Amino acid sequence: MNPKPPTMKEDYQKKLTPFKLLKPIAYLLLLLLSFTLGYLSSPSSPTTPSFSPPTPQLPQLVNLPTQLDHFRLTTHCATPLPSHLIRQTILDRLFNSTSPFVNFPPPYATPLLQRSRVKGWGSKGAVFQNLIQKVQPKTIIEIGTFLGASAIHMARLTSQLGLKDTQILCLDDFRGWPGFRNRFGGIGLLNGDVLLLYQFMQNVVSVNATETVLPIPFSTGSGLDWLCEMGVYGDLIEVDAGHDFNSAWSDIIRAYRLLRPGGVIFGHDYFTAADDHGVRRAVTLFARVYGLKIKLDGQHWVIESS
């Protein structure tokens, strides 16, 4: 039996079916297009605005020393103590009026100390004799002492030059740095406490310089601020502690406040393998900010007071 041929109406509806499918597809495409255009035209999601500091103007540069002195605790130092009162003042304030060398070393530490264990870097450079002869200092402040090589050398020089009343103040926390005992054998350790201060003191005792050299066993930052508050100024100041930029900058800017008129501040590592750690950059910036001139003496930088 042959199938019944489609009527005209059925044939029309069959032809119309694809057009019915196109209509919802067109609506869907239009909806997607509208959504896309709306998304692209909407404001972007908020982001953290970037900040570019403005180019400093002249008034800002004038105040740059204050802006850079992030660690300052006091604006002005105390009235300078007379040089002949400095040693006793420090003994009174830090050591109960008694020299730390009295009854040194204590019995428990004696077996852990070497009779002499002196080590330093550039500690006998010509700069020491050059500056001591020029300045004739009554007070020398050394920032960063380690085992006392530079301090002992300066004590010998002042004695040879007849500067018998010169005091050398050695500011150091005497903690060294992590792992330094791997490089420097023979430094005792007692219950986790490295005996760097005791070995330094033993080195001073071994050259009979206990009336000239005096340790100030504190961090350079707190120690320099304390000297400032006490009115302890130096005629000659050596900076040779931390070698990164922040440490060197902080030490130099604090130490310079303690420099007597006509005095000299100087330091090591301006032309050594360590200079790229920040010493040279700190010295150069400091000189530019304060309008000072850097002189060179071997591996040392030298700045005279303005």
Side-chain angles (χ1 to χ4, degrees):
M1 182 177 181
N2 294 330
K4 183 179 179 180
T7 64
M8 184 179 296
K9 182 177 180 180
E10 290 173 341
D11 187 57
Y12 173 77
Q13 290 177 345
K14 188 176 182 180
K15 292 180 180 179
L16 193 62
T17 300
F19 294 99
K20 289 182 179 180
L21 294 175
L22 288 176
K23 189 173 182 179
I25 293 175
Y27 281 134
L28 179 61
L29 291 175
L30 182 61
L31 179 63
L32 290 174
L33 180 62
S34 299
F35 177 79
T36 302
L37 292 175
Y39 176 80
L40 294 176
S41 62
S42 65
S44 59
S45 59
T47 58
T48 304
S50 60
F51 174 74
S52 298
T55 302
Q57 304 298 317
L58 184 59
Q60 292 174 294
L61 292 176
V62 171
N63 295 325
L64 192 56
T66 301
Q67 296 170 7
L68 292 174
D69 188 6
H70 298 297
F71 306 99
R72 183 180 60 186
L73 298 180
T74 57
T75 303
H76 300 289
C77 296
T79 302
L81 279 173
S83 297
H84 67 278
L85 296 180
I86 287 178
R87 181 181 178 88
Q88 191 58 51
T89 298
I90 293 175
L91 293 178
D92 292 343
R93 296 301 184 95
L94 295 184
F95 301 109
N96 295 328
S97 302
T98 303
S99 169
F101 292 102
V102 172
N103 298 323
F104 179 85
Y108 69 86
T110 301
L112 300 175
L113 301 175
Q114 297 186 47
R115 182 185 179 279
S116 179
R117 178 69 171 91
V118 181
K119 171 63 179 176
W121 298 266
S123 303
K124 295 185 178 181
V127 64
F128 293 98
Q129 183 168 346
N130 295 340
L131 293 180
I132 290 174
Q133 284 181 328
K134 177 180 179 179
V135 178
Q136 300 283 301
K138 294 183 178 179
T139 303
I140 299 174
I141 300 175
E142 181 180 60
I143 303 162
T145 295
F146 195 48
L147 289 166
S150 297
I152 290 172
H153 181 57
M154 289 190 287
R156 287 172 176 157
L157 289 173
T158 55
S159 177
Q160 292 170 5
L161 294 171
L163 304 175
K164 297 182 179 181
D165 295 328
T166 299
Q167 289 294 305
I168 303 173
L169 310 178
C170 296
L171 177 58
D172 197 307
D173 62 6
F174 294 99
R175 308 302 308 161
W177 59 91
F180 87 94
R181 293 178 67 249
N182 296 330
R183 293 179 56 191
F184 302 94
I187 307 299
L189 189 69
L190 184 63
N191 295 108
D193 184 18
V194 62
L195 300 183
L196 190 57
L197 172 60
Y198 279 7
Q199 187 59 63
F200 158 77
M201 294 175 65
Q202 177 59 41
N203 293 339
V204 173
V205 170
S206 70
V207 296
N208 196 30
T210 59
E211 294 299 317
T212 300
V213 178
L214 187 63
I216 301 179
F218 299 96
S219 68
T220 58
S222 61
L224 286 169
D225 286 336
W226 182 80
L227 292 176
C228 173
E229 294 169 5
M230 292 296 101
V232 176
Y233 291 73
D235 305 296
L236 186 62
I237 301 179
E238 180 195 8
V239 181
D240 191 14
H243 295 99
D244 62 281
F245 173 84
N246 289 331
S247 297
W249 168 263
S250 175
D251 290 343
I252 293 167
I253 199 169
R254 281 180 155 115
Y256 189 71
R257 295 182 302 171
L258 304 179
L259 191 62
R260 288 184 182 272
V264 175
I265 184 171
F266 72 109
H268 193 225
D269 295 305
Y270 199 79
F271 281 125
T272 67
D275 60 13
D276 62 343
H277 294 181
V279 174
R280 187 189 300 179
R281 288 186 290 118
V283 173
T284 301
L285 177 61
F286 173 79
R288 287 177 180 173
V289 167
Y290 284 95
L292 301 170
K293 184 178 180 179
I294 302 171
K295 297 180 181 179
L296 302 178
D297 191 328
Q299 296 178 339
H300 289 74
W301 55 270
V302 178
I303 296 177
E304 299 179 358
S305 64
S306 56

